[in-house]
Amino acid sequence: MGKQKKIIIGAAAIVAIVVGTRLTGLWGSGTSTTSTTINTYISADLTTQDLSKMTDTYALEIAGNTQEGLLCKNTDGKPIAGLAKDWSTSKDGLTWTFHLRKNLKWSNGAKLTAKDFVYAWQRTVNPKTASQYAYIYSGIKNADAIVSGKNKDIKSLGIVSKNASTIVVTLESPQPQFANLMSFPSFYPQNESFNNKAGTKLGTKSSEQIYSGPYKFVGWNGTNNSFRLEPNKNYYKPKSVKNAGVNYRVIKHPATAVEQYKRGSLDLAVLSTTELQSANSKSKDYTSVPLAATSYFSYNQTGKVKGLQNKKIREALNLATNRSEILSSIYNKVGKVPTGITPAGLSKADSGKDFSVFAKQGYSYDMTKAKKLFAEGMAEEGLTKLNLTLELTADVPQTKLVGDFMKDSWQKLSGLTITEKFVPFKQRLNDQTTQNFDIIYSNWYGDYAEPTTFLNLFTTNSPNNNGKWSNTSYDSVIKKSLTVDSQNVKARDNDEQEGEKILYEDAAVNPVIWGQQVQLSNPKVSGIQYFTTGADTIYKNAVKNAK
């Protein structure tokens, strides 16, 4: 995320999709509910609906339902027509032409044209916008140079509107993920006139945005915990929406959601704690939802934190991480032990193997070796004592257990003291993007079904490279996978495998768990689309059998 970033939440803090009837007082006086209304909750406060600035899975989910791109996804996650009725690609893979549907409109009735895409893309790559997702435009003509500030001509970005309904995109090299990216929120259109009028308020309230998708967003004032999606009558195919809308509420306590589900107030509740999973694993309503998500520790390698630029110290911290025990004792075996940063189920290599198997690395738990390496690293740095702060999200119950577990484990390394720091989700986002941490526990959801959606995070200039680790060999091999080897699947696999190897051997990052979502789901609810990448939950086809 990328969901979209679809990111940075503890692996258990997954959006909960819920359908049901209204419970008196639960949804608030401003919420409309009918028998076909979907009631859903999220586990943290909503941040923004500015398409150029959103990074987290919750904001991306709202956008994925209220906005639409050139392309959408079918039930298998494959690209299909969206606002573009059709598209074509040149033989060399460098030129993509999209033809928009006729008479497209924004939710406020304004015409939606090709210029809205050109403006949106130019705004996102403009350094003044400071979009954390500008990097995802890499490979589009001049995008990298514009994002870096070397090219001041924003209009030289490789997108032009030939007329009101025709868009031509020029790439610097073929991109296997490009069609998939066209359904990602960072590539959705934006209306320049509306944005200019909204100014700095853009996306800070539901009323400070307009919508191109099947729903429009209403009722969010920027801080409240109850809001909703309503069918957008100006959507090009309004009858394709099979429900009366979607009610949202922020519910931060997992047990509260489960309680409301069992009272009939919700038709789905995420089981995000060991206790809830164990207590409900035998229920006929127990289901799982696929995810492409990795939770990991980032080490601050800016030079501001003593010790963490030393490879042996980072290796020791990785080796002192018992991932199997974390999965078993904290996550109740919901998920998988990671063997790399790219999770299982994201994509397959040319051989047919899951990429995670093809690129498997040797992440393991070995306290004896960890102690030896830590002592050597401390000696190299001239240190006898090292104090490090571990930052985690306060809004996610299991992160407290992860923090306690790692503090106990890491403090077995002689001379190391760990202080836990729990902060709200929004502060965690800010701290990791400003490198205001020593070690931080993050989560990333894939934006598209190709390993670079994870591997791109750790290139030197990536805005999502929270620890600011830098390795020229890594940068080179990831760039190669996206350029000269982009159309050679086997060569691209090898490049990405090499990237995983460099991350592992340099202890650049510490993958902790590959996520999975388990939940209680009412079997009378059907048609909710769950995707492992991008905007991960789509509601327009959702139907509830009230009988």
Side-chain angles (χ1 to χ4, degrees):
M1 45 53 77
K3 127 196 166 192
Q4 101 172 19
K5 356 182 187 188
K6 273 173 77 196
I7 162 190
I8 1 190
I9 315 174
I14 309 300
V15 173
I17 311 312
V18 290
V19 186
T21 56
R22 182 173 182 171
L23 175 68
T24 302
L26 175 61
W27 299 104
S29 59
T31 301
S32 174
T33 301
T34 73
S35 61
T36 63
T37 299
I38 297 174
N39 295 321
T40 186
Y41 70 95
I42 60 177
S43 302
D45 295 324
L46 194 60
T47 53
T48 184
Q49 278 302 292
D50 183 334
L51 289 164
S52 293
K53 295 184 177 181
M54 59 180 60
T55 60
D56 63 273
T57 189
Y58 304 135
L60 288 165
E61 182 186 322
I62 297 292
N65 285 278
T66 59
Q67 309 282 6
E68 193 163 295
L70 290 167
L71 305 182
C72 295
K73 296 177 183 177
N74 66 11
T75 54
D76 296 322
K78 304 299 182 182
I80 58 173
L83 294 182
K85 62 180 180 179
D86 56 55
W87 69 99
S88 60
T89 311
S90 61
K91 289 184 178 180
D92 61 7
L94 298 180
T95 304
W96 292 65
T97 303
F98 299 88
H99 299 102
L100 296 182
R101 298 174 187 273
K102 294 181 179 179
N103 302 318
L104 291 176
K105 293 182 180 180
W106 289 97
S107 57
N108 66 351
K111 290 183 178 181
L112 194 162
T113 71
K115 290 183 179 180
D116 292 319
F117 282 94
V118 176
Y119 163 74
W121 291 23
Q122 291 176 353
R123 176 175 182 257
T124 299
V125 300
N126 190 333
K128 293 180 180 179
T129 304
S131 170
Q132 290 187 50
Y133 257 118
Y135 79 92
I136 207 170
Y137 280 74
S138 182
I140 297 175
K141 184 179 178 180
N142 294 326
D144 289 333
I146 293 170
V147 171
S148 68
K150 294 178 181 178
N151 183 343
K152 305 296 184 182
D153 182 8
I154 305 300
K155 293 183 179 181
S156 69
L157 182 68
I159 179 173
V160 295
S161 56
K162 291 294 185 181
N163 52 53
S165 61
T166 306
I167 297 165
V168 178
V169 179
T170 304
L171 307 181
E172 293 177 339
S173 61
Q175 297 186 48
Q177 76 277 18
F178 189 72
N180 192 290
L181 284 175
M182 293 302 94
S183 64
F184 190 76
S186 294
F187 293 94
Y188 290 172
Q190 298 181 40
N191 184 280
E192 183 174 12
S193 176
F194 184 90
N195 283 14
N196 288 340
K197 184 177 180 180
T200 58
K201 294 181 180 179
L202 180 68
T204 59
K205 302 177 182 179
S206 56
S207 59
E208 296 291 350
Q209 184 57 280
I210 54 174
Y211 308 97
S212 60
Y215 298 98
K216 57 183 180 179
F217 189 33
V218 297
W220 181 53
N221 66 16
T223 60
N224 62 318
N225 292 330
S226 180
F227 30 84
R228 64 191 183 274
L229 311 182
E230 293 182 350
N232 177 8
K233 65 180 181 180
N234 285 321
Y235 183 56
Y236 64 85
K237 194 184 294 185
K239 292 184 179 180
S240 66
V241 180
K242 298 178 181 178
N243 51 69
V246 183
N247 289 335
Y248 275 91
R249 190 167 179 83
V250 177
I251 302 177
K252 297 181 180 180
H253 301 291
T256 301
V258 172
E259 178 185 357
Q260 291 176 2
Y261 174 87
K262 292 183 176 181
R263 291 168 59 187
S265 303
L266 304 178
D267 286 310
L268 186 147
V270 172
L271 304 171
S272 58
T273 69
T274 301
E275 293 78 12
L276 291 174
Q277 291 159 6
S278 297
N280 294 281
S281 62
K282 302 298 182 182
S283 171
K284 62 180 177 59
D285 297 346
Y286 186 94
T287 58
S288 64
V289 174
L291 295 176
T294 301
S295 294
Y296 59 94
F297 293 116
S298 289
Y299 303 125
N300 189 325
Q301 297 175 58
T302 61
K304 298 178 182 179
V305 182
K306 286 185 178 180
L308 290 182
Q309 285 186 291
N310 186 284
K311 176 183 173 182
K312 289 182 178 178
I313 288 177
R314 297 195 307 271
E315 282 185 290
L317 294 172
N318 282 11
L319 285 164
T321 303
N322 192 334
R323 299 168 188 82
S324 296
E325 184 61 27
I326 290 173
L327 177 65
S328 176
S329 64
I330 298 176
Y331 289 98
N332 203 37
K333 299 183 179 179
V334 175
K336 293 183 178 180
V337 174
T339 57
I341 199 68
T342 306
L346 177 74
S347 66
K348 293 185 181 297
D350 185 57
S351 63
K353 290 183 179 179
D354 191 277
F355 178 80
S356 66
V357 175
F358 173 77
K360 181 179 179 181
Q361 300 300 315
Y363 291 97
S364 61
Y365 174 67
D366 188 334
M367 186 59 76
T368 299
K369 186 176 180 181
K371 289 179 178 179
K372 179 177 180 296
L373 285 172
F374 189 77
E376 292 175 359
M378 292 284 280
E380 289 175 0
E381 297 299 315
L383 298 171
T384 57
K385 294 182 179 180
L386 180 61
N387 299 314
L388 296 174
T389 297
L390 171 60
E391 183 168 326
L392 308 99
T393 305
D395 304 330
V396 184
Q398 281 166 303
T399 60
K400 169 62 175 170
L401 299 176
V402 171
D404 292 347
F405 183 94
M406 292 312 306
K407 177 179 180 178
D408 180 67
S409 183
W410 281 340
Q411 287 191 159
K412 292 176 182 176
L413 303 175
S414 181
L416 179 60
T417 299
I418 297 293
T419 301
E420 296 173 79
K421 180 181 178 181
F422 295 93
V423 300
F425 174 60
K426 288 183 179 180
Q427 182 179 336
R428 224 282 313 293
L429 290 180
N430 184 66
D431 286 347
Q432 67 185 33
T433 55
T434 58
Q435 288 68 56
N436 183 31
F437 67 90
D438 296 349
I439 305 174
I440 200 162
Y441 191 42
S442 301
N443 188 60
W444 184 267
Y445 293 71
D447 297 326
Y448 50 88
E450 212 278 331
T452 51
T453 189
F454 284 87
L455 298 174
N456 269 337
L457 299 177
F458 307 104
T459 56
T460 297
N461 295 320
S462 169
N464 298 306
N465 182 357
N466 300 319
K468 296 304 175 186
W469 171 77
S470 180
N471 183 297
T472 55
S473 295
Y474 184 82
D475 291 345
S476 177
V477 76
I478 298 305
K479 182 177 181 179
K480 187 180 177 186
S481 75
L482 292 167
T483 54
V484 296
D485 290 340
S486 61
Q487 288 190 300
N488 184 329
V489 179
K490 184 174 292 187
R492 192 172 75 244
D493 287 343
N494 290 334
D495 295 336
E496 293 165 346
Q497 181 190 54
E498 179 65 17
E500 286 278 12
K501 182 180 179 182
I502 294 171
L503 287 174
Y504 167 69
E505 292 183 344
D506 204 47
V509 67
N510 186 350
V512 177
I513 186 174
W514 287 337
Q516 182 183 7
Q517 178 173 311
V518 292
Q519 58 198 33
L520 296 176
S521 301
N522 189 329
K524 293 182 179 180
V525 177
S526 63
I528 297 176
Q529 293 177 284
Y530 296 101
F531 299 111
T532 60
T533 59
D536 57 11
T537 310
I538 302 299
Y539 301 100
K540 70 177 183 179
N541 295 320
V543 176
K544 178 183 178 182
N545 182 357
K547 295 182 180 180

